[in-house]
Amino acid sequence: MKPDDRPCWKRRWAWMLAMATVALVAGWWLSASPEHSRPSTPAPVSPTAFRAETASPAPPAVTVPAAVAARPAPEPVPPPVIDAVTVEKHEVCSGEDNLISVRAHSPDGNDSYLHTSIGTGTGMRVPLRVWLEPDGTYEPPVVTVFGKDNVSASVPVPRYKVKPCEPDRLVEVFSRRLPNSDEDYEFLARVVELKKRDAPPRPPFAPVKYVWTFDDQHTVTTTTPVVTHTLGGGGTRPWAMYFQHLVRVDVVDAQGRKVTGRSSLQVLNTAFENFDKKGVVTVLARGTPRFPELGEDGVVRQTFRLYHPWKGLVRLERVTLLRARKPEPGEPPHPEDTGEVSLGVDMIPEGRGVEVAVSLDTKAEPDVTMLTYALEGNTLDGHPARGTFSVMRPPPRPTKDNSTPITDPLLTAKVKKARELLGQPYVTDEDLWRLEREGRFDDLNVRREAP
């Protein structure tokens, strides 16, 4: 064969033309073949889609059970329906209270979550005070009723006539929950004289008795402006998120004149909240005495009434005793689990419950500051029940070595008189506050020296 003497570039072009011809023939042959003999080729992918696919690969498929996938989304809670708002009086003086009462219900029939605000007060019945503006008008208060998940509905309080007159005096009622107690409250009545311009002097109002009425039922008469009362009766209160209370006091002087004050309380029921949020029935404990007292033998003895708000019995399955010992300086106490103990009871009935007696021997266990009993059990219908209560070592009695001397002459006089009134060798801040609210120190005439 004769060697090819054509130039190199001609030979290259001839080779490329031949290859193109072969490619065209192959493509025509493939396009003419039957559909089923053609290999399956993927659809073309744009460069953008390819970059996205390679940068973040698709997550693996997650299988969802058919029952879960078919479960409908929870329906929104409907707002409460306000059935009626009533006023006690159709006309009052400016500053005179007027009892506003609300009736409402939940469309789904679950009224356990209902709670209300009326103006600046809270409760389903609120003694509302309205003061006239200088132009003779007043801002109409609003009633807001809350249901489950705090979904609310609001309406204005029905208008009533507020006259330009003012009462001579008002009674303000204050309340506070007592320490170491879930149901005991203290109430204080304070008479406020309203000064009026260009008015003749009025005879002084000196109260001689206070008649207290709780929830329109229980009545207590005192000679001091302070009273303590147990709201609810322990385990007999309605099963709801809030407790509603109305307290009234009639203050009477020696001439028979009377002035009345009222206060509404809307108290959160923590036992209901625990069951609603956690499904746990709360076991409550009420100690007697309310504060621990150290006996002459060095033993602290207390009786606790265990009760719960549930209907039916609660079975106690385990009681764990935790000991808290004196920590190192600057360290918090770390209670240690010392195992199961017996309280002598295995059932807590509904209502008043059951009493157990416990003690802390401070001489036998000088480094123990507190004994805590952790209760675990179940209701008859299968709900878990939990609760705790503690016996604590009282603080050491005040001495010259562990106390700071009192330099205020007025406070010194109060302490001395409190010791005489109570017949105690020493008194606490709680004793002084109570006696002061009762007016027992009003006759002290001690002048404080200027610093």
Side-chain angles (χ1 to χ4, degrees):
M1 191 172 180
K2 193 175 181 178
D4 193 352
D5 55 356
R6 290 178 296 175
C8 180
W9 63 272
K10 287 186 177 182
R11 291 197 304 270
R12 186 177 301 164
W13 273 106
W15 181 80
M16 294 177 63
L17 182 60
M19 291 298 295
T21 302
V22 172
L24 289 173
V25 173
W28 172 83
W29 181 79
L30 289 174
S31 62
S33 61
E35 183 70 22
H36 60 80
S37 64
R38 233 186 289 166
S40 60
T41 56
V45 182
S46 67
T48 303
F50 180 78
R51 285 195 298 270
E53 183 177 341
T54 56
S56 57
V62 179
T63 58
V64 179
V68 176
R71 184 181 301 167
E75 296 183 0
V77 178
V81 177
I82 301 176
D83 300 309
V85 179
T86 58
V87 296
E88 179 185 41
K89 307 170 187 174
H90 295 295
E91 59 179 36
V92 294
C93 288
S94 177
E96 179 184 358
D97 72 20
N98 199 359
L99 189 66
I100 311 299
S101 303
V102 178
R103 284 192 301 105
H105 73 276
S106 298
D108 57 4
N110 190 357
D111 294 344
S112 300
Y113 297 88
L114 293 180
H115 56 289
T116 304
S117 66
I118 304 176
T120 58
T122 58
M124 304 300 284
R125 294 191 298 166
V126 172
L128 190 66
R129 283 197 178 112
V130 172
W131 299 88
L132 286 178
E133 299 291 341
D135 60 358
T137 63
Y138 70 92
E139 185 71 22
V142 175
V143 173
T144 302
V145 180
F146 301 87
K148 189 175 182 180
D149 296 338
N150 279 334
V151 178
S152 63
S154 299
V155 296
V157 172
R159 280 201 169 268
Y160 53 91
K161 185 177 181 180
V162 180
K163 299 180 292 185
C165 56
E166 288 186 0
D168 293 336
R169 56 188 63 87
L170 301 174
V171 177
E172 295 180 342
V173 181
F174 303 93
S175 62
R176 70 176 184 121
R177 179 179 289 175
L178 292 177
N180 287 7
S181 175
D182 181 64
E183 299 175 323
D184 294 336
Y185 282 76
E186 181 187 80
F187 298 91
L188 168 67
R190 187 174 69 181
V191 179
V192 180
E193 297 284 347
L194 299 181
K195 297 181 179 180
K196 300 181 180 180
R197 293 181 179 179
D198 303 328
R202 299 189 302 266
F205 187 87
V208 295
K209 70 175 180 178
Y210 301 79
V211 182
W212 303 85
T213 304
F214 300 93
D215 298 322
D216 301 332
Q217 297 174 355
H218 190 67
T219 301
V220 178
T221 300
T222 64
T223 57
T224 62
V226 179
V227 68
T228 59
H229 185 69
T230 300
L231 295 178
T236 60
R237 298 180 288 191
W239 187 238
M241 182 67 83
Y242 289 88
F243 301 133
Q244 308 290 338
H245 298 287
L246 182 66
V247 180
R248 169 189 172 121
V249 59
D250 296 315
V251 185
V252 184
D253 70 353
Q255 301 176 14
R257 294 178 298 176
K258 182 178 72 173
V259 59
T260 299
R262 291 177 290 191
S263 176
S264 60
L265 283 81
Q266 187 167 250
V267 183
L268 176 65
N269 181 2
T270 55
F272 184 98
E273 186 180 39
N274 287 342
F275 186 80
D276 183 59
K277 304 295 184 184
K278 305 173 184 177
V280 176
V281 174
T282 303
V283 178
L284 302 168
R286 178 186 175 93
T288 303
R290 192 157 51 90
F291 292 103
E293 298 176 0
L294 187 64
E296 296 295 335
D297 56 356
V299 179
V300 180
R301 296 178 177 86
Q302 275 184 289
T303 299
F304 285 87
R305 179 169 60 87
L306 308 180
Y307 63 100
H308 59 85
W310 202 250
K311 294 297 182 182
L313 292 172
V314 165
R315 289 189 293 257
L316 277 182
E317 298 181 348
R318 181 167 61 181
V319 180
T320 304
L321 178 60
L322 305 174
R323 275 182 168 84
R325 304 186 184 274
K326 293 180 180 179
E328 295 295 330
E331 294 291 330
H334 298 285
E336 58 183 47
D337 187 341
T338 55
E340 295 186 29
V341 296
S342 174
L343 292 175
V345 297
D346 55 4
M347 293 284 186
I348 304 177
E350 64 177 283
R352 295 290 299 176
V354 63
E355 290 188 347
V356 296
V358 293
S359 62
L360 169 60
D361 192 337
T362 62
K363 293 184 177 179
E365 298 183 289
D367 60 335
V368 174
T369 59
M370 179 172 59
L371 298 178
T372 298
Y373 295 83
L375 314 177
E376 299 178 58
N378 288 282
T379 65
L380 295 181
D381 47 358
H383 296 291
R386 302 289 185 268
T388 61
F389 66 93
S390 299
V391 183
M392 304 179 65
R393 177 193 295 265
R397 296 182 177 181
T399 64
K400 291 183 178 180
D401 298 331
N402 64 12
S403 304
T404 302
I406 299 175
T407 59
D408 185 345
L410 179 58
L411 181 56
T412 302
K414 289 181 179 179
V415 171
K416 289 181 178 180
K417 184 164 186 178
R419 292 170 59 182
E420 295 174 0
L421 293 172
L422 300 178
Q424 300 174 179
Y426 63 92
V427 293
T428 64
D429 289 340
E430 184 74 17
D431 295 329
L432 296 179
W433 293 335
R434 178 171 57 84
L435 293 175
E436 185 155 15
R437 286 190 291 270
E438 291 178 356
R440 301 297 184 92
F441 300 144
D442 292 348
D443 59 344
L444 291 179
N445 187 16
V446 180
R447 186 178 61 183
R448 280 185 173 146
E449 296 181 2

